[in-house]
Amino acid sequence: MKVDDLIEQLQNIINEAKSMPFSGGKVLVSSDEVYDILDQIQDVMPAEVRQAKNIVADRKSILAEANRESENIIRSAEERKKAMLNQNALVREAQGKSKEILDDAKKKSTEIKKAANVYVDNIMKRTEESIASQLDEVKKTRNNILNSQRSKPQNRE
């Protein structure tokens, strides 16, 4: 179950709880139910953190692949340049074309790296915002529960 769903369950418990008369909107909730949901949230949060780590690992993989591709393009361009230079009649033309190919390969390599970084940064930003939002909701809910428990009259024996 996702953290969002668990937070929604907590909100439902609070929304469906009975109000205490003259308490300024305080409600009675089952602490067992609330703690059970909070335990589930604690169990799910590491999975979402692992997901964020996987995104970071994917970023590294994407960048590594982009580097390999750019190196292959550059290596291919260098080999093509050497082959063209070996032909006596086409030396000048080969130098111009090889420089153009090499420049194009470097430009494409830079564009691939930039695009990969932007893509991964956007994913990381959305994940960070989602986790932060969910954590804020958990903290608010927990504080509401603690505040409602503090305002309960204590049994005296």
Side-chain angles (χ1 to χ4, degrees):
M1 189 171 275
K2 291 187 176 185
V3 173
D4 290 341
D5 298 331
L6 294 168
I7 290 173
E8 189 175 323
Q9 280 184 7
L10 278 175
Q11 290 171 334
N12 288 339
I13 289 171
I14 293 170
N15 288 337
E16 294 171 4
K18 294 190 180 195
S19 293
M20 291 178 53
F22 309 111
S23 67
K26 294 190 167 79
V27 295
L28 290 174
V29 294
S30 166
S31 62
D32 288 340
E33 270 187 274
V34 172
Y35 283 124
D36 180 51
I37 292 173
L38 288 174
D39 288 342
Q40 290 178 46
I41 289 171
Q42 286 177 330
D43 291 342
V44 172
M45 285 298 278
E48 292 190 5
V49 171
R50 268 194 310 278
Q51 181 183 13
K53 287 181 182 179
N54 287 339
I55 291 170
V56 170
D58 287 347
R59 175 189 177 268
K60 289 179 183 176
S61 172
I62 290 168
L63 289 176
E65 180 61 31
N67 283 333
R68 281 193 297 276
E69 187 176 335
S70 67
E71 288 170 7
N72 287 339
I73 291 170
I74 291 170
R75 190 178 312 109
S76 174
E78 296 268 350
E79 289 171 3
R80 193 165 174 197
K81 176 182 173 183
K82 287 178 186 176
M84 291 177 145
L85 288 174
N86 289 333
Q87 298 176 4
N88 292 335
L90 302 173
V91 169
R92 287 186 189 140
E93 185 180 338
Q95 288 174 338
K97 284 186 179 183
S98 66
K99 184 184 181 322
E100 182 180 314
I101 291 169
L102 191 56
D103 290 346
D104 188 48
K106 288 178 182 177
K107 181 180 175 184
K108 285 181 181 177
S109 170
T110 300
E111 289 172 2
I112 290 170
K113 288 177 186 177
K114 283 181 183 178
N117 279 333
V118 167
Y119 173 75
V120 170
D121 184 58
N122 285 338
I123 290 173
M124 292 299 296
K125 181 179 178 185
R126 283 185 277 159
T127 301
E128 179 183 342
E129 289 169 352
S130 174
I131 289 173
S133 172
Q134 292 169 1
L135 183 59
D136 286 344
E137 286 298 322
V138 169
K139 286 179 181 178
K140 286 177 189 175
T141 303
R142 187 165 181 242
N143 282 335
N144 287 340
I145 291 167
L146 291 174
N147 288 337
S148 71
Q149 287 179 344
R150 287 184 191 135
S151 65
K152 286 184 187 177
Q154 294 183 358
N155 293 340
R156 296 190 182 190
E157 296 181 37

